[in-house]
Amino acid sequence: MPEKSGSISNNPKQNQTMRERLLTTVVFAFASLAALGQTVSGRVTSASDNSPIPGVSVLIKGTTIGSTTDTNGSYAIAVGGNENGTLVFSFIGFASQEVAIGGRTNIDINLAEDVTQLGEVVVTALGISREKKALGYATTVVTGDQLLATANTNFASALYGKAPGVRIATAPGGATSAVNVQIRGINSIKATGNSPLFVVDGVIIRNMEQAATGTNNNGYWDDQKIRGNGVLDINPSDIETLNILKGAGAAALYGSEASNGVIVITTKRGTRRNGVGIDFTYALTGESVAFTPRYQNTYGPGYDRETNTVAFGANEDGFIPTDVDGDGTAESIRPIFRAWGQFGPRMEGQQVAWFDGTMRSYSAQPDNYKDFYQTGSNQNINIALSSATDKAAFRLSYTRLDYKGIARGSDLGRNTFNLNSTLKLNDKVSADVVLNYINSNIHNRPEQINRLTANYGGFFSRADYMDVYLNKYQTSTGYKWVPYNLPERNPEEALKYNIRATDLLDYMWRNMRDDDDEFQDRLISSVTLNYQIIKDLKFRGRVGNDFTSVRNEIKRHNEYPTSFNGSQSTGGYQLNTGRYSLLYTDALLTYSKSITQDFKLALMAGVQGRTQDYLDQRSSTNGGLVQENWFSLENSYGLKSTSSNRIKSTMYAYLGTLNLSFKEYLYLEATARQEYTSTLPPDNNSYFYPSVNAGFIFSDAFQLPKVISYGKLRVSQARIANGTQPYAANIVYTQKTLQTTNGPVTQLSASTAYGNSSILPEMKTETEIGLETSFLENRLGLDLTLYSNKINDQIIDQSLAPSVGASSVLANLGELKSKGIEIGITATPYNNGQLRWDTRFNFAKSQTRVEKLAPGSDEMTFYNLDAGAVLIKAKEGDLLGNVYTHTPLKDANGNFLVNDDGYYVLSTGSEYEKVGNIQPRAVGGWSNTISYKGLSLFFLIDYKYGGSLVSAPHLYAYGAGMYESTMQYRDEANGGLPYNIDVNGDKVLANSHAEAEYHDGLILPGVNSAGEANTVILDAANYYINSYYWASGWYQKEGVLKNDYIKMREVALTYVIPSKISEKLKLQGLRVSLIGRNLFYLYRTLDNLDPEVAIGSNWLRQGVDEGSLAATRSIGFSISGNF
Amino acid sequence: MNFKKIFAGFSVWAIAAILISCQDRLEEEYLNPEKTPTASIDRFFTKMLDNRRVRADYWNIRTFLVMHPAVYTNVISYTNSPRRYQQQLSYLNDFWKDYYTPNGDGVAGIVAHMREIEKQYNGLTAEAKVNADVFLQAARIVYFDQTSQVVDLWGDAPFSEAGMLNVSGNTTPAKFDDAEEIYTALIDGLEECATYFRTASLDPLVASSFSKQDILLKGNLDKWERYSNSIRLRLLMRISFQNETKAQTEIMAMLNDPATYPLVEAANQNVLLDPLTDYTDFMRNAVTELTSHLAPEFLLDDVLKPAVDPRIRVLYDKGVSVDGPNADYFAMPADATATEQEENIADGRYAILDSSTFMFNTKFPGIVITSAEVHFLKAEAFERWGSSATAQTSYEKGVTDAINFAFYLNQVGSSFRGVDAEDAVLPAEIAATLATPGVIYTGTSNEKLQKIWLQKWIHFGFMQSIQGWSEYRRTNYPALTFVPDNGTVGSELPPTRLLYPDSEKVYNATNYAEVQGSDKPTTKIFWDIN
């Protein structure tokens, strides 16, 4: 914390130790009151988090009488004859405030941080600190306190709505699931993702998991678990500030991979204080399933009447006559457990034979989806020690996280150690040493529920009792559930009947019986040497390393006794180990000189290098386990299998910058970078790119009306080039040796993802203009940015028709063009010194178009769902993310065509219609802090407008009649038409329900092939089942959904315990907060899905639901303070 | 100051170290250390043989055979639940991709690797080409054989322009060639290949390498010649109703000159792909997951039992019900409700696929072509265009070889858990079966043909049901009945061809548009004119 200067101290005890200070403060407060007679006292706290601010200067306006606040933020000032004067509170980094005394003796005050105040320093590219006002491009700084407000387990999900143009998407599943950060819309259409570069204390960190394709970008079958990403390991408690570099201009110096933006994180340092300070934070929250689909609770399993009776032998009601006691007479009934459709009998509490062998009531279990999950919890403890002297400063913190998610069987424990130290070797040389050590154990990372929602084999209905599944997924002896058709494995416990949701039982078996443990040790370290060589010449060298060692042990239990084995067994043991190292180095030489009083110059030249060295090894048993449930590679039935994968890559660059400033209101910066990468073919592996930006503070250059406190204009133009993933361009073959009757024989396979030896680096060019202003003495601020960029030769995996010879080929796509706008408004609408309301509103809009495709292709398909039922594709000039489906055919008058069977006819083959776009039109947030004395309420609302969600699970569940919205037509009350069935089996419309046997009829509005109005009666079950089925369904209506939302993301009610009380506990700055995250939606367009159901790190996956996990809500409290 | 010197030294060293080491590294790190940039014709050839669509592979049986052709030919069981005849598009896509593109273990990527071989071959010197010829020609036989199956299943398909990425890096989508033209190319190509093998003499080193890499026929040139001629015979017979003149001329030319056109005519000439020696899996899960493992009614009750066919004991086990071992082989009735079928399945009332022959057989070979099929083809040819007596000889050889083959499969699988093979089949049993009314070679010419086709249908079973389905569609025999699935609009009954997979439709849209009109489940393949 900066030292206060120029104020008059009246606190003679400033150099006491903490302990002494604790004891004497109260005494002193009383003493000073008694001695000085007419006194005003009070407390100064920060408006953002209500923490006390020590060292604030308090001055009676127009006099030299002053005071400063102590460590509790308390002050006392003798006002003498100035009872009607004005107090001026000022402190660096905060907006000064003037308050009339008005005869009061107690004045508490909230100081707001001043974002536009001159002299604010931000950390920019390559860890270079610069004055914010000198920057020619947009950045957003978020402080550590803002990240901690509601005890998020990671910093990225705490960024919702906090920075314009930054879209956060947290994958469901809790603390182990990836949080995707997307800056300025779609910067890349690569399969690998859209993640910005994360830089911690100057070192680029590894953000990806093992897979080179990013996290969860290739669907369920590629990876069933909901993966995390590297940002989860960065402890929010250790973050001092976080600076988001959005545009190419800001990121140009970082080079490749910075085209998605950069997030520069600075961890907390030792602060100057007496002795050693101890800060602590404790947070506990409970996690529960937040939003469940709106299921119908009336009808149970079954199909249409004909299928129920003819195929399943059910009676007209839809029940199968059942012989329970084995006497040959069917004295009981049961529902069609095998049906995925929900068009069976009404659930009215009938006693039916259940598939577990009991008799149960056939009645709705509305909470059975919720009961599939559990209630989770999240406990976070952070303790930090810090100290600083003239020679050295350090901060050491320890954080323990214990997390239990809503997915049964999964939990996470994590220890984080952070050491941040600075050593001043002499006047000219200093060194920073930062160490982050993270150790974690994830047990049974949550699996996607794709098998339960995107697969008819996992559909359970509202008639189902979750306790039956929880009871049945394993037998009493710990083997896997026994299907009805293999009763010999366990005649007692085998399922009685063939059921539908066998995949639910399998899911439980995998996730609750088996063990999958991920152990990770990660060390992020950096050493920085600063050397002031001569007055104007400075050197900085930095070496950093992000090293991770992982071990993943998977224990699969035997599924049935080994006596039932064939030529192989069941169960298994797998051990995966990984070693990921990222070494970062840079060296910069900076020369800065004031040419004249007004004209300053700085030149910088440097080199930067980064190498990646990843190793994955996998060993597993093969063909099951010999001895039941003995987990060892030595217990393998067949030959053990093993494989490894190595990835190495190197990037290095020469770079230089030129900075000019004139009179501290006009700034110009130019950068250049020549980069080399091993990921591109040797002929094309180097590229050059420059950038230029300027900042002009017109409020300093010209005399402006008083209402304008600050005004700055920014302009920036930059280029960034990028290589590709290591080895993606290779044209190589996979070799394998087969064990054959000819002995070992070697085969060679071409690649299904074909390389490209002439791939070119991609080039992104961006132009940005911005305006920063503040009005009314900084009570209202506006930050506006407009940008446009284009990416030439974007490198993509172009999907191919199999007949070309491969599934995809690496290719340069022609040109992508984006433009966007970002608006940030800050305001203090109300402030009377006691009650204060600060608010901030963010808005961003970004659109990306495909300007040119690769030569020779007329369209490009990025996503293909359900055998071509839904495509996300683009032609030249199209917005990226257009969704196409087959749609019902219409006649010339716009009437739907109905076929002879009575159904709408969908277009086929290559006839698609555009039905949506997955790019959001606008994203942003609105945060508010209302504080009154020691109490403050913080809440943050974030929103997304526009952008479709493609959800096959929604279509399937709709066709299965799961949702409340599928009640239509089913009975008289829901608008079903009355009809009878004549002797020919044809449906005949009845005049009234009283005259009809059936009440679930409907006639689709439209015309038949003869052009006449359709009169064919369908029954509701057939309508749903046949109109909304896998691949052939009407996806436009139920599979491509509008996804807008406004969500109450974070709420924190904080109370700063009065120092009188906290000091009795020998604590200072004690604060208690009630916190809630992801509380509720103020508005949403999706009824049956959570708006944030999508997983995966690339732009495309953010618009697609393939069945992930339920969303959660967290509610709890936190306590923090210091000794 | 001393520090300055140290610092200067350090910084110069650091910068130099970074740059020098980086410069070398770029090229060194460009290539994936786990893969090789060196192509090799002989190794690509082995890859083409290691085909999960030929082997008794879980994925192929579970997602392709027992969900499609085996259902459409009624040679396995399926419960009468909804959507039983519906084509599973994503699994069809897998089959299609396995043919065109490489994607992991056991995926032959026939087209891609054929083109990789051609690319390498074209770059060889004339001398080197001579040594590579044997690999090229053997690969072409496999390619033609596999291609004919794609045509039989789908009809028109990318052929002449397919796989160009592997030749030239060209990613232009391929046109769909006319199915009949493809067939002509295959029939002509197979003749060329057979001609090569008739006269081939290999350099000893090449012969040694070919014997090693040839995991199908162990480098036996005679067997390659027979394989080529036999597939050609199969394809000519397939077009024999659509283009009888050509079929008759070319088939009779082959059959009248056996010295020039040797065929697979004895059990030891069967073209079978041995399982890998470290393969321990078996097909139990593949056939039980969809309850495909029960004896189907028509096959067991109407065909095998009346013929007292000895194969019953190697095809099925009687099974054990809740009341004890079943007294006889009971088939699952085709027209019972799914519920009734399931209840009886749960109670173990139906005969199930034989455990040694099928369920637990880890040695089940990949069946490419057998002598039994060749004899049936010959029998049909002689019956239609030659002497009925000669036809009878071939027919009876066919039945005998088919029965022996089923027992062979039982015998190779019998090592499992000490279970002995079923009693070997006695010649008298075969003779007795051949004398039963349904099998005996009597009646009108048409009845005789039907008997040939029926026996061939039994022989193909579910493991060769791709061939079985083609022959069923060509001959419309045996007369199968299917319980319609009226709840599934559009898939009430089995189709007559497979639908094109979406990966081709979507990413090859322009060319697909040319064949879109015929992309219906009811379109008939060109040879299916009855």
Side-chain angles (χ1 to χ4, degrees), chain B residues 36 50 70 84 117-118 162 367 484:
Chain B
T36 172
D50 179 31
R84 54 190 172 271
I117 289 174
E118 288 167 354
I367 306 169

Side-chain angles (χ1 to χ4, degrees), chain B residues 140-206:
Chain B
R140 289 178 74 210
I141 296 172
V142 174
Y143 167 62
F144 294 143
D145 177 14
Q146 294 289 314
T147 302
S148 72
Q149 300 184 28
V150 169
V151 175
D152 292 342
L153 294 168
W154 279 281
D156 300 350
F159 175 68
S160 59
E161 295 176 353
M164 284 305 135
L165 175 66
N166 302 81
V167 179
S168 59
N170 184 357
T171 58
T172 311
K175 71 169 189 202
F176 284 71
D177 289 281
D178 177 73
E180 190 178 349
E181 284 170 23
I182 299 174
Y183 246 72
T184 306
L186 303 182
I187 290 165
D188 295 349
L190 285 164
E191 176 153 37
E192 286 166 31
C193 295
T195 308
Y196 167 81
F197 279 102
R198 193 182 310 143
T199 56
S201 79
L202 303 183
D203 173 274
L205 278 176
V206 176

Side-chain angles (χ1 to χ4, degrees), chain A residues 751-754 798-809, chain B residues 97 100-102 112 163 165-166:
Chain A
S751 299
T752 192
Y754 219 75
Q798 185 181 357
S799 294
L800 297 175
S803 61
V804 173
S807 305
S808 68
V809 64
Chain B
K97 282 174 83 167
Y100 284 107
T101 70
L165 175 66
N166 302 81

